[in-house]
Each structure stands twice: as C-alpha cells, then as structure tokens.
Amino acid sequence: MFVERIDRANRRLAIFVHGWRGGHLSTWGDLAKYLERHADEKLVLEDWDYLFLGYETYSLGSLLDIARIVAGEWMHAAGGRPPFNHAYQTLALVGHSLGTLGIRQLLCAVSEHPEGMLRALRCALLFGSPLNGSPLASYAAAARIADAIKGRWGALLPGSYQINDALQPDGQILRMLQVWNETFRLSASHRDLRVKVILGADDQVVHQGGLARWSGDVRRETSLDHTRLCKVKYNGTKTVGLILDELVGELR
C-alpha cells in the first residue's frame, strides 16, 4: 500500500517492512489508515509519503531477498518510476521482526545499494528486532507443514529453511550479519547512520538471553510484547501507539 500526499509532491519516503508471516498492513495495525487520513495534520509526518511493503515469507531464499525487495522499491522511488509519480530524495526504513534483519542485510550489502541510497537514508527504525534470534525458530518447520496441509504448498519451498536458520538463537547467519554490521560501521561515511532498535520487555518471540548490542545502535525498551510493539490503534481522531511517537522523533 502506498500513502501519498496529493496536494504537493513530498520528496521523503518511509518504507515499512513486516516480519515473518506478517502482512504489509496487519503488522502495523491502523497506521496506514491513520497516515492516509491525518498525516498532513501532524508536524513532521506531513512531509513524508509512506510505502507498506508486502512479501511472502515462504518464497524467500535468504535475508538478501528482503534486502533486494527494499532496494528495488527505493530505486524506483529515487528515479520517479511507476508506481511513484515523482522522484524522492530522502529515505527512512522501518522494520518489524524478520523485516529488521532484511534491512540490516541491505545496509551491510553495499554492492546491492542503488546509487545514492546511503546518502538519502535518514534513519532505520527497527521494532522487535531478533538481535540474537528467536526461540520460536525451531517451531517453524511445524508451521510450514501445517500451512501445507491447509493447501499452501508453497510453504514447502526450500527457501523457507534458510529464513528459519536466520532466526536461530546464536546462529551462524546472525553472527555473520553482526560482523558485517561491524565492518559497515568502520567506514566514516556510515558511522553516523541512525539505527534505533525498539525492544519489548514482554517480547516472547525475540530471544531474551544475552541480546546482542550491535555497533551503532540506539536502543529503547518498552513493556509491550512482540505484536503490539509496532501496532497503532486508531479510534476516531485519536491515535495510541509507540510507533507514531518514534516516527515523529526519527523522521525529521
């Protein structure tokens, strides 16, 4: 879903990336609806357009697939190519759960960057990031089989096994990605990139044992669980949700 201001051409684009078995709208609660109706009434939010990306978890072969989806959308946006009606100059990335690892992969994989992407990137805001994996990764195979029984035979594609491996606590993929992040941060041009991680104290999905501290991260903890962490509740003209406060703070 693309939320675009129509009375003027905004030059700033925020891209939202959901997590494992999430949805491009359901993950974020009523956020898209709120932004569509009220973003132009709120300072800072009015200057941005918003793209809510969707992807099928079981079709992925690796975290790099998520990274390439995001990079491809920004390449079109920066060039003003369809479905975008004009070119964008500034980018923000917002992810949840597995989506945050896809964003991490994109940041580290410099060879995959569209030209000028890092110069355009204002911040990365990561909700419920499995910095040290997820204890639920071992249940993924059972979930795949259950989906297949229901008729979703695509759930048995080999690619999903690699995604599950990426969520293993203390797994090799996460350790490698952390080293890539350290290497990425050694460059003076990348050192000041803002990456903010929002973690829930009641998050049973993200592995709580020895959560890694990744170089360059700013962390904030809340009392919310993994699902409610990034959901905005919309009721009339009132919006209740951590994510809006974080967006206003980050998207400046």
Side-chain angles (χ1 to χ4, degrees):
M1 180 177 178
F2 181 42
V3 179
E4 177 186 23
R5 185 156 186 163
I6 59 175
D7 62 339
R8 72 181 189 213
N10 281 341
R11 300 295 178 182
R12 301 179 175 189
L13 180 67
I15 299 179
F16 290 77
V17 188
H18 66 76
W20 192 74
R21 301 183 77 188
H24 70 293
L25 296 181
S26 60
T27 290
W28 312 102
D30 294 322
L31 181 59
K33 185 192 301 183
Y34 174 86
L35 292 172
E36 188 174 32
R37 297 182 182 179
H38 299 293
D40 58 353
E41 302 169 5
K42 197 170 182 69
L43 188 65
V44 179
L45 294 180
E46 64 181 351
D47 296 328
W48 293 75
D49 290 341
Y50 305 90
L51 177 65
F52 292 82
L53 281 182
Y55 62 90
E56 174 53 64
T57 307
Y58 296 120
S59 68
L60 300 174
S62 69
L63 296 175
L64 191 58
D65 289 338
I66 303 176
R68 285 171 172 164
I69 291 171
V70 178
E73 292 294 341
W74 174 245
M75 184 169 60
H76 287 293
R81 305 176 202 166
F84 303 98
N85 296 313
H86 58 269
Y88 289 85
Q89 300 171 346
T90 304
L91 170 66
L93 297 174
V94 184
H96 177 244
S97 197
L98 178 65
T100 70
L101 298 183
I103 290 174
R104 294 277 197 181
Q105 180 73 80
L106 175 60
L107 295 181
C108 296
V110 177
S111 63
E112 297 288 328
H113 293 176
E115 183 177 358
M117 189 195 80
L118 280 183
R119 291 194 301 272
L121 184 58
R122 177 67 55 85
C123 66
L125 185 57
L126 311 179
F127 288 84
S129 185
L131 300 174
N132 198 32
S134 170
L136 300 183
S138 59
Y139 297 102
R144 259 196 329 270
I145 294 172
D147 283 338
I149 292 173
K150 294 176 183 177
R152 296 183 61 187
W153 295 107
L156 297 179
L157 290 173
S160 60
Y161 288 89
Q162 296 185 42
I163 292 299
N164 298 336
D165 290 343
L167 295 174
Q168 291 293 335
D170 299 314
Q172 292 183 358
I173 293 177
L174 274 177
R175 291 204 301 270
M176 179 177 64
L177 190 57
Q178 187 178 24
V179 171
W180 280 19
N181 178 69
E182 296 285 345
T183 305
F184 172 82
R185 286 291 186 175
L186 289 176
S187 170
S189 60
H190 306 158
R191 199 171 295 148
D192 296 329
L193 175 64
R194 289 193 296 170
V195 175
K196 189 168 187 178
V197 180
I198 315 299
L199 297 170
D202 193 31
D203 192 336
Q204 302 300 312
V205 175
V206 170
H207 187 54
Q208 298 294 326
L211 281 175
R213 289 189 177 272
W214 291 38
S215 178
D217 285 1
V218 175
R219 303 197 340 169
R220 175 182 173 184
E221 291 190 8
T222 77
S223 61
L224 300 175
D225 64 20
H226 194 74
T227 301
R228 291 186 297 133
L229 188 68
C230 61
K231 274 186 167 50
V232 166
K233 297 180 181 179
Y234 180 57
N235 181 15
T237 59
K238 291 184 178 181
T239 301
V240 181
L242 171 67
I243 192 169
L244 274 185
D245 293 336
E246 294 297 338
L247 281 179
V248 172
E250 295 296 315
L251 303 187
R252 293 188 182 277

